[in-house]
Amino acid sequence: MRIDLHTHSTASDGTDAPAQLVRKAAAAGLDVVALTDHDTTRGHAEAVAALPEGLTLVTGAELSCRLDGVSMHMLAYLFDPEEPALLAERELVRDDRVPRARAMVAKLNELGVPVTWEQVARIAGGGSVGRPHVASALVELGVVPTVNDAFTQDWLADGGRAHVEKHETDPFEAIRLIKGAGGVAVFAHPAAVKRGRTVSEAAIADLAAAGLDGIEVDHMDHDADTRTRLRGTARELGLLVTGSSDYHGSRKTCVLGEYTTDPEVYGEITRRAFGAFPVPGAGGA
Ligand code: AMP
Ligand code: ZN
Ligand code: FE
Ligand code: FE
C-alpha cells in the first residue's frame, strides 16, 4: 500500500487542479493521497468528484503557524471542514494572504521589479495565494531562473528583502482547533532548515504534550541524519511518523509518492479522526 499524506493543488500553490492531481496520484500507483492545500479545503469537492476507482482521498489542509517568531506548518487531517472555529481561523489566515502578497509586490516594485498584483493574481488563479506564486511571477519576468531561486535573502525567503509576514496561527491553538474539529494534527517538515529557522526539540515536546499526533519525518527537505534524529524524537515522545512528497506539481521538483507513510500509521490516523462526516473510501490500513 502506497500512501502519500501531503500534496498541493491549484487550490493553493500547486500547479495541478484537484481532479488532475487525483488522476496523477492513481497513475503514480498510490493507494491513498491526502490533499493538504495551504489554509484551505477548497480543492476537496473537485478531488472527491474526480476520485479514480481504488484511490482513497484523505481530506486535509496545511495550516500556517508561528511559534516564537518561527514560521511552521501544521498538517490537519480528516477534520470537519464546516466546524466553525477552525473554519474561521483558516479563512483568517487564507484571506490575509492577499494583502500580504500585495505588500510583497509593493516591496518588489521598490526594488525595481515591475511585477504587478494582477500578474500574481492571474498565476494564483483564485487559489490560496502564496510566495510560490510571487516566485513564479519573478520567473516570468526573468528576475530569477527558477521558483527555488526566488527563496533567497535577496527576494522572498523569510526575512528577505521582499518578504512580508502573514497572519499565522499559534500551533498550540491550531492543535486545539484541529482536535475540536475531529481532526488529526501532524507537524509538517519540522526540521526543514533550508526554509529558515526551525523550532526546537523542546518545543516539539511541548506540542506533543498539547496533543500533537505526529511529525512528518520522511520529506525531501530532511537529510538522512535529520530523519534518523526525528525518528528518535518521535519514539521518545510517542508521536506518529509520516512521510510524504509535499507535491506541488511543476512548481517543485518532487514527484508524487516520493516519500510515503507506513500503512499502520495511516490506519492509526484514520482511527484517531472523529469521523463525523463521510471520508471517501477510507477504511484504515
Ligand atoms: P507562504 O505560505 O506564502 O509563506 O509560502 C510558503 C511556501 O513557499 C512553502 O509551502 C513552500 O512551498 C515554499 N517555500 C518556502 N521556502 C522555500 C524554499 N526555501 N525553497 C522553495 N520553496 C520554498
Ligand atoms: Zn506550498
Ligand atoms: Fe509546508
Ligand atoms: Fe506543503
Side-chain angles (χ1 to χ4, degrees):
M1 226 182 152
R2 298 188 69 224
I3 302 156
D4 186 341
L5 290 183
H6 182 170
T7 70
H8 297 270
S9 74
T10 50
S12 66
D13 54 10
T15 58
D16 292 340
Q20 257 175 319
L21 186 131
V22 290
R23 276 186 229 115
K24 285 191 186 177
L30 290 174
D31 300 285
V32 179
V33 70
L35 180 58
T36 52
D37 278 304
H38 297 287
D39 307 306
T40 188
T41 57
R42 280 188 181 165
H44 291 173
E46 183 186 318
V48 169
L51 203 62
E53 179 105 16
L55 180 68
T56 294
L57 178 73
V58 171
T59 53
E62 186 176 20
L63 307 177
S64 304
C65 295
R66 183 154 63 224
L67 182 61
D68 298 332
V70 178
S71 290
M72 52 169 284
H73 293 167
M74 189 70 74
L75 290 161
Y77 296 116
L78 301 171
F79 56 87
D80 176 355
E82 284 166 21
E83 190 283 319
L86 179 56
L87 175 63
E89 183 64 19
R90 206 161 64 237
E91 289 186 338
L92 183 71
V93 178
R94 189 195 62 217
D95 293 348
D96 189 54
R97 287 171 163 278
V98 174
R100 179 260 198 156
R102 283 177 171 277
M104 289 194 286
V105 166
K107 280 196 165 186
L108 287 163
N109 292 162
E110 277 170 32
L111 292 166
V113 178
V115 63
T116 64
W117 163 248
E118 286 67 31
Q119 185 188 5
V120 173
R122 168 178 55 76
I123 292 167
S128 183
V129 63
R131 281 182 284 173
H133 298 123
V134 180
S136 286
L138 294 181
V139 173
E140 276 187 6
L141 291 166
V143 174
V144 289
T146 71
V147 165
N148 270 355
D149 290 302
F151 285 88
T152 63
Q153 287 303 310
D154 276 347
W155 305 113
L156 301 172
D158 287 4
R161 293 188 302 171
H163 176 237
V164 177
E165 288 189 342
K166 60 185 179 298
H167 175 79
E168 294 175 319
T169 308
D170 174 271
F172 293 93
E173 173 71 358
I175 290 169
R176 202 182 61 74
L177 290 168
I178 293 164
K179 301 274 163 158
V184 175
V186 173
F187 187 171
H189 45 76
V193 286
K194 73 161 203 187
R195 296 185 185 207
R197 287 168 60 210
T198 56
V199 308
S200 65
E201 294 264 334
I204 297 178
D206 292 343
L207 292 166
L212 180 70
D213 290 286
I215 55 176
E216 190 180 51
V217 172
D218 294 311
H219 184 281
M220 65 182 308
D221 290 350
H222 293 156
D223 63 22
D225 286 350
T226 301
R227 284 176 214 168
T228 303
R229 177 172 61 77
L230 287 173
R231 258 179 239 289
T233 304
R235 206 176 305 117
E236 223 168 86
L237 298 173
L239 293 167
L240 302 173
V241 164
T242 69
S244 76
S245 63
D246 202 352
Y247 177 74
H248 278 71
S250 61
R251 213 167 255 126
K252 282 195 183 176
T253 54
C254 56
V255 297
L256 281 162
E258 187 163 324
Y259 297 102
T260 55
T261 296
D262 189 291
E264 284 184 13
V265 172
Y266 164 61
E268 181 60 23
I269 288 172
T270 62
R271 273 189 290 279
R272 286 189 194 185
F274 182 56
F277 58 99
V279 179

